[in-house]
């Protein structure tokens, strides 16, 4: 895995009220407070960010948002700017999740603008890419991913992308209980790294963390993390329960 520090990220999606989010975060802090040798991030809904930030401050858990809008401020009803996220305590932001692409009209072009504005505001972007079941069946997996990566990162320099994290989330594996096999995950992660190498050079390709997402659970994390190009996980359903998520975070204890 070269020198890439693993990142285990929890995407809470549209779950948890403020008080539920605070309770979950407090419980998680207790379970993972002994410093683990991985980076840990949780992404609660916007409404709970500031309160959860107070809970995780000074712990090994970082805060992330699930989306942002690229403008600094203005008449954009319902949107949240990068500096608002920073002021709420965020360090990371998830961009281009397949649910946003599927239900909210997110495109590679909007993903590109969001990645740019997150970098400009010192937020670490976690850019999601992934193929649908149909695209996989039609053997289009690599061409779809190549396009998502190239378009999403168009116009960036090597230096811009130093903190970038990519999350490979096959759409057919999200919330379905179907996980890509470890070999399927490794094959795609290697492809993504090669794409990065071709476009941004070997040094950057080697340093960028590529997470796997899609039905990650305590019982498959160890095998996934044994793959040389899998540098962590973006966890949805299994991140909502602190006991379960802490087992994923502490996967190294079971290797
Ligand atoms: P899942 O979701 O772990 O529930 O499959 C992953 C994600 O959508 O980030």
């Amino acid at each position: 895995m070269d020198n890439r520090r693993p990142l285990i990220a929890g995407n809470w999606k549209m779950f948890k009220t403020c008080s539920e989010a605070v309770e979950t975060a407090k419980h998680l802090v207790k379970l993972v407070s002994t410093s683990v040798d991985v980076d840990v991030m949780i992404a609660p809904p916007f409404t709970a960010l500031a309160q959860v930030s107070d809970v995780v401050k000074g712990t090994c858990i970082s805060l992330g948002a699930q989306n942002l809008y690229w403008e600094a401020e203005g008449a954009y009803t319902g949107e949240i700017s990068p500096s608002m996220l920073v002021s709420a305590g965020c360090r990371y932001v998830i961009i281009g999740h397949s649910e946003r692409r599927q239900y909210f009209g997110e495109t590679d072009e909007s993903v590109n603008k969001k990645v740019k504005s997150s970098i400009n505001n010192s937020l670490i972007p976690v850019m999601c890419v992934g193929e649908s079941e149909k695209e996989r069946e039609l053997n289009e997996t690599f061409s779809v991913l190549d396009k998502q990566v190239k378009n999403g990162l168009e116009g960036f320099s090597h230096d811009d992308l130093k903190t970038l994290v990519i999350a490979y989330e096959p759409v057919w594996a999200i919330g379905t209980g179907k996980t890509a096999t470890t070999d399927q995950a490794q094959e795609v992660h290697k492809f993504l790294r090669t794409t990065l190498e071709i476009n941004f050079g070997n040094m950057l390709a080697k340093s960028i963390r590529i997470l796997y997402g899609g039905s990650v659970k305590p019982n498959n994390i160890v095998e996934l993390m044994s793959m040389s190009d899998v540098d962590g996980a973006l966890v949805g359903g299994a991140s909502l329960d602190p006991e379960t998520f802490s087992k994923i975070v502490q996967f190294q204890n079971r290797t």
Side-chain angles (χ1 to χ4, degrees), residues 5 10 27 32 43 48 52 67 72 76 84 88 103 109 121 128 130 132 138 140-141 143 148 191 214 222 227 243:
R5 187 174 160 84
H27 192 168
V32 302
V52 171
N67 185 25
Y76 303 104
M84 290 171 187
Y103 306 127
E109 289 66 40
N121 288 275
C128 302
S132 67
L138 292 171
E140 291 173 1
T141 300
S143 61
Q148 289 177 347
F191 170 81
V222 174
M227 296 287 124
E243 301 274 351

Side-chain angles (χ1 to χ4, degrees), residues 96 180 182 210 218 242:
T182 45
I210 306 178

Side-chain angles (χ1 to χ4, degrees), residues 10 42-43 56 68 75 100 108 110-111 130 137 156 171 189 207 210 220 249 254:
I42 50 174
V56 299
L68 87 174
R100 296 220 54 87
D108 289 347
S110 58
V111 167
E137 277 164 10
F156 291 103
V171 179
H189 283 227
S207 70
I210 306 178
N220 56 25
V249 168
R254 289 179 288 133

Side-chain angles (χ1 to χ4, degrees), residues 3-74:
N3 279 330
R4 298 182 296 273
R5 187 174 160 84
L7 168 62
I8 305 292
N11 172 11
W12 291 3
K13 307 193 179 185
M14 200 176 73
F15 290 99
K16 298 188 189 292
T17 61
C18 290
S19 58
E20 288 166 349
V22 165
E23 282 318 302
T24 305
K26 280 186 181 162
H27 192 168
L28 189 63
V29 165
K30 278 197 196 123
L31 292 170
V32 302
S33 62
T34 45
S35 74
V36 275
D37 219 5
V38 301
D39 288 340
V40 184
M41 179 269 265
I42 50 174
F46 287 133
T47 45
L49 284 175
Q51 279 174 276
V52 171
S53 170
D54 288 340
V55 178
V56 299
K57 209 169 278 168
T59 73
C60 63
I61 301 169
S62 296
L63 194 66
Q66 299 173 20
N67 185 25
L68 87 174
Y69 190 60
W70 56 81
E71 294 289 350
E73 61 181 8

Side-chain angles (χ1 to χ4, degrees), residues 11 13 97 99 169 173-176 213-217 234-238:
N11 172 11
K13 307 193 179 185
H97 189 278
E99 286 150 16
E169 300 208 308
I174 295 178
T176 58
S215 300
V216 174
K217 304 276 184 281
L234 182 53
V235 186

Side-chain angles (χ1 to χ4, degrees), residues 95-96 101 106-119 125 127-129 144-157 160-161 164-166 195-196 199-200:
I95 294 172
R101 293 179 190 255
E106 194 92 75
T107 62
D108 289 347
E109 289 66 40
S110 58
V111 167
N112 182 277
K113 289 181 183 169
K114 291 180 178 192
V115 172
K116 181 169 278 166
S117 78
S118 66
I119 291 168
M127 185 179 87
C128 302
V129 296
V144 166
L145 293 170
D146 186 61
K147 193 166 143 289
Q148 289 177 347
V149 170
K150 278 195 191 137
N151 292 346
L153 302 180
E154 198 192 320
F156 291 103
S157 72
D160 294 331
L161 299 179
L164 175 76
V165 175
I166 291 185
T195 305
L196 291 168
N199 290 280
F200 299 102

